[in-house]
């Protein structure tokens, strides 16, 4: 009788968990933004937290690293964390602290003991999903540094690194996208690397133990994951020896491509043509291109010069302000389009309804395409305003293509750079090759 009762409870719990698994999958972003009270979402989260806390002392868990209820509790989290409100509540509650304690109990039983493969995969995926949507969800719009600080404070960041080494049976799109994106952003987050990934710090020691083969999965770790972990370790060493970069924190500035050779130059070292504000890395490059540049430069009026300068500042402000979000979108576009970053172009439209330009304070929508698509004239993949320009102003479109061809032809075009195409007041276009530095 007691055995049947246990089975009935398990089936009932499975049905309840299925509801929380399917609800966020089918729902749009607005469901958790006012339609469901935060108190109800918090009630679900409290149920998960208490469930995990209760399993921490489970003998089966401590001895084998597997307990069925744990997977049932964690499975819906991956999908709930695709929405901004549940993610914020998870970060602000004890969820990640309790999850970290749950994993560490298993480790304390044997210095290298890991959860089961299935649980490791689920933990790595839900943590990386929570990170991804904490920086790209419009409900919170946190910086990557803030999200990593919260993960580190809870103790889950080091456990995430361990779980990430466990091979995923069949790498899904979500696994690729969220896991690799999280590791990529960790490599870029200077302040976190300086403060949390040095020798003697839990994350730093855990990462070194994984690379030394003393922690994490004993075999089968994805080569991509190991390369990314090695890159994070190398970056932490570089940041530790570069005090100047420490002062800049994790904020990303912009570097601009030289109009002659394509080399990326920081704003501080950039040289601009005094007549038309074109970018150069040195006087040598400016002189070398003068014969080609002369006719265009002489046509630039004082008004156009002021407009170009204003446009450059406006675009730079947008890109720097939302560097985390744009980096995320560029990374996803590389995966989706099967292209390298320096083969992409980001479209920014500063006009609303072909009217007056407002400051672009938010980038809820942006378009990323392949430069090749422009050069081959695949108009159906363009933003409407680019397609419209091709039809209504073929001369402007021809100039755009010519400019892109010139930018795309640089043989030494840096791999971290990408193109930017902005539409501005009066339908003017701003085309540049930039990179986050």
């Amino acid at each position: 009788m007691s055995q049947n009762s246990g089975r009935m409870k398990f089936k009932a719990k499975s049905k309840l968990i299925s509801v929380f698994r399917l609800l966020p999958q089918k729902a749009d972003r607005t469901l958790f933004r006012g339609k469901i009270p935060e108190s109800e979402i918090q009630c679900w989260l409290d149920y998960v937290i208490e469930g995990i806390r209760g399993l921490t002392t489970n003998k089966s868990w401590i001895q084998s690293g597997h307990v069925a209820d744990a997977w049932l509790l964690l499975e819906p989290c991956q999908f709930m964390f695709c929405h901004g409100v549940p993610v914020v509540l998870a970060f602000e509650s004890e969820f990640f602290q309790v999850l970290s304690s749950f994993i560490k109990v298993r480790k304390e039983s044997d210095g290298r003991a890991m959860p089961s493969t299935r649980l490791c995969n689920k933990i790595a995926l839900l943590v990386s999903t929570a990170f991804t949507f904490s920086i790209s969800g419009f409900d919170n719009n946190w910086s990557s540094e803030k999200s990593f600080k919260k993960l580190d404070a809870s103790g889950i960041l080091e456990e995430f690194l361990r779980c990430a080494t466990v091979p995923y049976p069949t790498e899904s799109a979500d696994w690729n996208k969220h896991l690799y994106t999280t590791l990529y952003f960790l490599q870029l987050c200077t302040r976190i690397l300086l403060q949390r990934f040095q020798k003697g710090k839990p994350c730093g020691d855990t990462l070194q133990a994984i690379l030394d083969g003393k922690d994490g999965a004993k075999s089968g770790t994805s080569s991509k994951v190991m390369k990314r972990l090695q890159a994070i370790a190398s970056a932490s060493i570089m940041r530790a020896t570069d005090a100047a970069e420490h002062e800049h924190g994790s904020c990303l500035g912009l570097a601009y491509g030289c109009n002659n050779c394509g080399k990326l130059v920081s704003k501080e070292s950039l040289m601009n043509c005094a007549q038309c504000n074109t970018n150069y890395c040195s006087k040598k490059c400016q002189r070398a291109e003068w014969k080609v540049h002369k006719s265009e430069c002489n046509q630039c009026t004082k008004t156009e010069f002021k407009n170009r300068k204003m446009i450059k500042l406006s675009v730079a402000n947008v890109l720097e302000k939302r560097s985390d979000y744009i980096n995320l979108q560029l990374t996803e576009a590389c995966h989706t389009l099967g292209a390298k970053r320096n083969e992409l172009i980001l479209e920014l439209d500063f006009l609303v309804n072909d009217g007056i330009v407002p400051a672009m304070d938010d980038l809820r929508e942006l378009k990323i395409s392949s430069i090749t698509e422009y050069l081959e004239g695949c108009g159906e993949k363009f933003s409407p305003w680019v397609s419209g320009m091709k039809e209504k102003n073929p001369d402007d479109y021809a100039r755009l293509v010519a400019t892109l061809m010139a930018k795309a032809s640089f043989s030494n075009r840096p791999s971290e750079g990408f193109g930017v195409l902005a539409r501005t007041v009066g339908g003017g276009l701003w085309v540049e090759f930039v990179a986050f530095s």
Side-chain angles (χ1 to χ4, degrees):
M1 182 70 180
S2 60
Q3 190 175 8
N4 289 335
S5 176
R7 287 177 181 173
M8 289 174 68
K9 286 182 179 179
F10 185 82
K11 287 182 179 179
K13 193 177 291 185
S14 296
K15 288 182 179 179
L16 178 63
I17 296 301
S18 294
V19 171
F20 286 106
R21 184 181 188 278
L22 294 172
L23 178 65
Q25 279 185 286
K26 303 296 182 182
D28 61 28
R29 291 289 181 92
T30 62
L31 178 66
F32 295 97
R33 199 184 297 132
K35 293 184 180 179
I36 296 180
E38 281 192 17
S39 58
E40 293 187 16
I41 303 172
Q42 186 65 56
C43 184
W44 161 77
L45 196 57
D46 290 340
Y47 169 78
V48 175
I49 291 170
E50 289 308 311
I52 297 171
R53 185 179 276 129
L55 293 172
T56 302
T57 55
N58 185 289
K59 289 183 179 179
S60 174
W61 163 249
I62 296 172
Q63 293 171 2
S64 68
H66 175 74
V67 57
D69 281 2
W71 193 88
L72 284 172
L73 286 166
L74 296 176
E75 168 72 358
C77 297
Q78 173 195 341
F79 304 99
M80 290 289 280
F81 291 169
C82 290
H83 297 268
V85 175
V87 163
V88 173
L89 292 176
F91 273 107
E92 293 178 348
S93 69
E94 295 180 291
F95 175 80
F96 288 113
Q97 290 95 319
V98 172
L99 182 59
S100 174
S101 299
F102 175 66
I103 303 169
K104 284 177 180 174
V105 165
R106 170 76 178 134
K107 184 179 180 181
E108 287 167 2
S109 66
D110 173 0
R112 191 171 181 170
M114 300 280 288
S116 66
T117 297
R118 193 183 191 196
L119 270 177
C120 277
N121 293 157
K122 185 55 60 181
I123 291 165
L125 189 51
L126 74 86
V127 171
S128 57
T129 299
F131 168 79
T132 301
F133 283 91
S134 71
I135 67 170
S136 63
F138 302 120
D139 299 284
N140 35 292
N141 188 26
W142 292 352
S143 67
S144 58
E145 181 182 326
K146 180 177 180 179
S147 297
F148 281 130
K149 277 185 176 179
K150 287 182 174 290
L151 290 174
D152 177 69
S154 68
I156 197 63
L157 187 54
E158 61 196 87
E159 302 305 327
F160 162 73
L161 295 174
R162 297 177 69 232
C163 290
T165 64
V166 176
Y168 202 80
T170 54
E171 292 196 12
S172 66
D174 282 344
W175 173 262
N176 278 316
K177 180 169 67 174
H178 298 314
L179 179 68
Y180 297 148
T181 294
T182 302
L183 294 175
Y184 173 74
F185 272 91
L186 185 54
Q187 181 187 343
L188 293 177
C189 207
T190 301
R191 199 181 298 275
I192 293 296
L193 295 179
L194 280 165
Q195 296 176 353
R196 305 289 190 266
F197 278 80
Q198 301 306 309
K199 187 177 180 180
K201 299 290 184 180
C203 285
D205 291 345
T206 297
L207 178 58
Q208 192 57 55
I210 290 171
L211 296 177
D212 291 342
K214 298 177 181 178
D215 203 348
K218 292 183 179 180
S219 62
T221 302
S222 164
S223 60
K224 290 183 180 179
V225 170
M226 287 306 296
K227 284 180 181 178
R228 188 59 68 191
L229 292 176
Q230 288 166 354
I232 291 170
S234 299
S236 67
I237 294 171
M238 289 172 63
R239 299 300 183 255
T241 57
D242 191 346
E245 193 149 357
H246 175 91
E247 293 176 0
H248 289 299
S250 62
C251 298
L252 299 179
L254 275 186
Y256 294 85
C258 172
N259 205 55
N260 181 56
C261 69
K263 177 184 175 183
L264 287 170
V265 187
S266 66
K267 287 193 292 186
E268 294 74 19
S269 304
L270 190 67
M271 297 187 66
N272 299 113
C273 174
Q275 177 73 13
C276 65
N277 208 38
T278 299
N279 301 327
Y280 293 102
C281 65
S282 63
K283 288 184 178 180
K284 183 179 179 181
C285 270
Q286 187 174 6
R287 292 192 191 100
E289 209 211 12
W290 177 243
K291 289 183 179 179
V292 177
H293 179 65
K294 183 177 180 180
S295 59
E296 177 191 344
C297 185
N298 289 335
Q299 292 174 13
C300 183
T301 64
K302 289 184 178 180
T303 303
E304 286 180 67
F305 173 78
K306 289 180 180 179
N307 284 341
R308 289 186 184 187
K309 197 169 184 179
M310 180 190 71
I311 292 164
K312 183 184 286 188
L313 287 172
S314 298
V315 172
N317 286 338
V318 170
L319 296 180
E320 290 175 352
K321 180 181 176 183
R322 297 301 306 276
S323 58
D324 280 344
Y325 177 64
I326 293 170
N327 252 327
L328 176 63
Q329 298 301 314
L330 288 167
T331 302
E332 291 186 357
C334 287
H335 177 71
T336 304
L337 300 174
K340 296 178 182 177
R341 180 173 286 222
N342 63 0
E343 296 170 345
L344 300 178
I345 187 162
L346 169 69
E347 297 175 12
L348 300 178
D349 191 0
F350 278 64
L351 296 182
V352 177
N353 297 325
D354 292 324
I356 302 173
V357 181
M360 258 181 87
D361 292 327
D362 200 358
L363 282 178
R364 289 175 181 256
E365 293 183 8
L366 52 84
K367 173 79 173 176
I368 298 176
S369 307
S370 165
I371 292 178
T372 306
E373 292 177 359
Y374 282 85
L375 301 183
E376 293 177 351
C378 304
E380 68 277 2
K381 296 183 180 180
F382 298 161
S383 293
W385 59 274
V386 178
S387 301
M389 180 182 66
K390 184 179 180 181
E391 296 172 5
K392 298 176 184 177
N393 303 297
D395 291 341
D396 288 345
Y397 182 77
R399 279 194 292 272
L400 165 65
V401 171
T403 304
L404 287 173
M405 286 183 71
K407 302 286 183 186
S409 65
F410 294 130
S411 58
N412 61 339
R413 189 171 46 175
S415 59
E416 69 272 21
F418 58 95
V420 177
L421 170 62
R423 181 173 71 151
T424 57
V425 183
L429 295 174
W430 188 86
V431 183
E432 197 53 79
F433 193 75
V434 302
F436 291 116
S437 61

